[in-house]
Amino acid sequence: MRRFRAAASLAGDPRSPHFHFLRHCRSFCRSSSLPEADAAAAAASADGLESQVLVQGSGSSRTAILNRPSVLNAFSTAMGAKLQKLYKNWEDDPDIGFVMMKGSGRAFCAGGDIVSLYHLINRGKIEDCKDFFRTIYSFIYFVGTYLKPHVALLNGITMGGGAGVSIPGTFRVATDKTVFATPETLIGFHPDAGASFYLSHLPGHLGEYLGLTGEKLTGAEMIACSLATHYTLDAKLPLIEEQLGKLVTDDPSVIESMLEKYGDLVCPDKMSVVHKIELVDKCFGHETVEEIIDALESQTAGLKDSWCNSALRRLKEASPLSLKVSLRSVREGRFQTLDQCLAREYRMSLQGISKQISHDFCEGVRARVVDKDLAPKWDPPGLDKVSEDMVDQYFSPLSELEPDLDLPTKVREAFT
């Protein structure tokens, strides 16, 4: 139990601490009137769902492989359900000491399958959308309270839900191929999947900057701000996987020693945002989005800083409603536990897809991913049109009868 507590401590230390514009998406199959065709389609679908998560390993460890490379391993409801089942079985198995997760292809995980969500919403299947968020968020909480060491190999694109299922775990290994971002405001959504928890615990107001602009971080930058715990070159990752596979342990300190032995030291580029924390705080520490933009414009006029220009451009591309909602979400996350953040984000996500306040999520996905015209028509169209009532409603349940996210907090205590 002492080892388990050590793992939980490592996972929960704020100091150690989705979206990706998908270029490919699977089309929805049209139903056939022929029973034979229906049966064949169902069988093919079942096989496809089964292969979305593969399992590797024997002896003291198991590896879950996210296996939807054609969509950058974008998370589906089926993936979340299978991972939950696998992780529960592995946690209960006394012969398994620790668990790993990685992605196939050039991504770890680009986040949730927003294209499928877009189509579900437009077909009126809101309950299926709720099931998606409930399944993924519940699995994230399971990872965050896992009783065995967890190692996530973040090689390639790691965005949104991909960060959500990895950052709450014990160890996160970034590489020179890692690309991290939480660019949900650019599709009319909010940083979710636990993002309001881990972004709020980053140095200074870096979390606000990343959450509002959706700017990317490299693996080296992830290490510098403790989103990742270890770093290695992509070319050395097979060796690290081989060495991890040889370990017979449930002791996180043994795993940590191995990762340190085969890892690499790295420093972010001199132009990195991690070297601009003072400027980040000066601009993104303001109370409102409007004041943040004013501060950036002031800095741009005085310093002609390319970083300020880039941040301003991203903010002006984002949904005004999403910007205000996301700023409040990150700041509330500073004073909440992981489970409280996930429960709040669940309410927010249901509001975001319901179109009761705005249609920005569907409009953002349409503009960025479906039609790709990159010209979303946000509603409200400007920050001055976003009322406090709109923002307050975004944080409220859909209705008085709408159940909140039910997490097993009495049997699996969340960390702060």
Side-chain angles (χ1 to χ4, degrees):
M1 182 57 70
R2 187 179 299 118
R3 286 194 291 266
F4 292 160
R5 286 174 180 162
S9 174
L10 283 167
D13 187 353
R15 295 168 299 178
S16 73
H18 113 5
F19 155 83
H20 176 75
F21 300 149
L22 301 177
R23 297 175 182 170
H24 309 282
C25 65
R26 296 180 178 175
S27 62
F28 286 89
C29 297
R30 295 180 179 176
S31 60
S32 169
S33 59
L34 297 175
E36 296 88 349
D38 287 344
S45 176
D47 289 342
L49 293 176
E50 188 64 24
S51 66
Q52 288 185 13
V53 179
L54 303 178
V55 176
Q56 194 177 69
S58 59
S60 185
S61 66
R62 293 292 185 275
T63 301
I65 305 172
L66 309 181
N67 188 46
R68 301 182 71 201
S70 65
V71 290
L72 304 177
N73 302 321
F75 242 87
S76 67
T77 307
M79 289 175 74
K82 183 171 182 180
L83 284 166
Q84 179 82 29
K85 182 177 180 181
L86 287 171
Y87 272 53
K88 180 66 169 66
N89 290 339
W90 294 340
E91 188 177 73
D92 292 341
D93 189 337
D95 294 328
I96 295 176
F98 66 99
V99 171
M100 294 184 282
M101 184 186 291
K102 67 178 184 177
S104 59
R106 63 190 184 93
F108 172 72
C109 175
D113 190 342
I114 57 171
V115 173
S116 291
L117 279 174
Y118 170 84
H119 288 298
L120 286 172
I121 294 166
N122 287 337
R123 291 159 63 195
K125 297 200 170 187
I126 298 300
E127 292 303 318
D128 289 347
C129 296
K130 292 179 184 179
D131 188 40
F132 168 81
F133 289 111
R134 187 165 49 244
T135 301
I136 303 305
Y137 292 6
S138 295
F139 176 65
I140 289 169
Y141 185 73
F142 201 77
V143 172
T145 57
Y146 208 55
L147 296 180
K148 294 181 178 180
H150 187 264
V151 183
L153 304 176
L154 309 180
N155 198 33
I157 297 164
T158 305
M159 297 185 181
V165 298
S166 56
I167 290 176
T170 325
F171 303 110
R172 289 88 62 194
V173 182
T175 76
D176 52 320
K177 296 289 182 67
T178 302
V179 180
F180 165 89
T182 55
E184 286 82 0
T185 61
L186 299 174
I187 54 160
F189 208 55
H190 61 97
D192 70 319
S196 66
F197 181 81
Y198 63 76
L199 289 178
S200 66
H201 289 82
L202 295 181
H205 293 282
L206 182 61
E208 283 95 329
Y209 163 72
L210 294 173
L212 297 185
T213 66
E215 287 285 9
K216 302 180 185 70
L217 293 182
T218 65
E221 290 171 323
M222 289 186 75
I223 278 285
C225 66
S226 297
L227 282 170
T229 59
H230 296 82
Y231 180 90
T232 185
L233 297 175
D234 168 64
K236 289 176 62 177
L237 202 55
L239 173 62
I240 288 179
E241 290 188 58
E242 179 185 353
Q243 295 302 315
L244 284 168
K246 292 178 181 179
L247 293 180
V248 180
T249 186
D250 64 353
D251 189 340
S253 66
V254 173
I255 299 167
E256 184 172 32
S257 295
M258 196 286 299
L259 292 174
E260 289 176 351
K261 178 179 178 181
Y262 292 97
D264 296 286
L265 294 175
V266 66
C267 292
D269 182 90
K270 65 179 182 180
M271 299 302 293
S272 169
V273 67
V274 301
H275 299 306
K276 299 177 183 291
I277 292 297
E278 186 175 338
L279 182 57
V280 170
D281 290 351
K282 187 174 183 179
C283 294
F284 284 83
H286 288 282
E287 186 174 347
T288 68
V289 177
E290 290 90 341
E291 289 172 330
I292 289 172
I293 290 175
D294 286 345
L296 285 167
E297 289 177 339
S298 175
Q299 290 295 322
T300 301
L303 300 177
K304 295 185 174 12
D305 191 294
S306 62
W307 175 85
C308 292
N309 277 320
S310 176
L312 268 173
R313 185 175 64 254
R314 302 281 285 194
L315 292 175
K316 290 177 180 179
E317 291 175 358
S319 154
L321 175 61
S322 292
L323 288 175
K324 291 202 171 187
V325 162
S326 300
L327 181 62
R328 175 169 161 181
S329 179
V330 171
R331 291 187 170 166
E332 286 194 6
R334 285 200 171 92
F335 306 98
Q336 294 177 327
T337 57
L338 175 64
D339 65 293
Q340 290 170 335
C341 285
L342 287 168
R344 173 176 45 73
E345 290 172 4
Y346 179 72
R347 287 195 213 113
M348 295 169 65
S349 294
L350 298 197
Q351 289 286 2
I353 64 172
S354 71
K355 300 185 181 180
Q356 289 185 9
I357 309 171
S358 170
H359 65 277
D360 276 4
F361 174 66
C362 281
E363 175 61 10
V365 175
R366 180 207 63 76
R368 290 279 181 177
V369 187
V370 180
D371 296 339
K372 301 180 183 179
D373 57 30
L374 303 181
K377 295 177 175 60
W378 301 126
D379 179 28
L383 291 169
D384 59 326
K385 304 296 184 184
V386 180
S387 69
E388 281 298 315
D389 287 344
M390 288 178 182
V391 176
D392 288 342
Q393 185 179 342
Y394 212 103
F395 286 75
S396 304
L398 276 182
S399 70
E400 292 182 1
L401 300 178
E402 185 67 43
D404 277 333
L405 181 66
D406 185 19
L407 296 172
T409 55
K410 292 184 179 178
V411 294
R412 304 183 73 91
E413 185 177 359
F415 52 80
T416 57

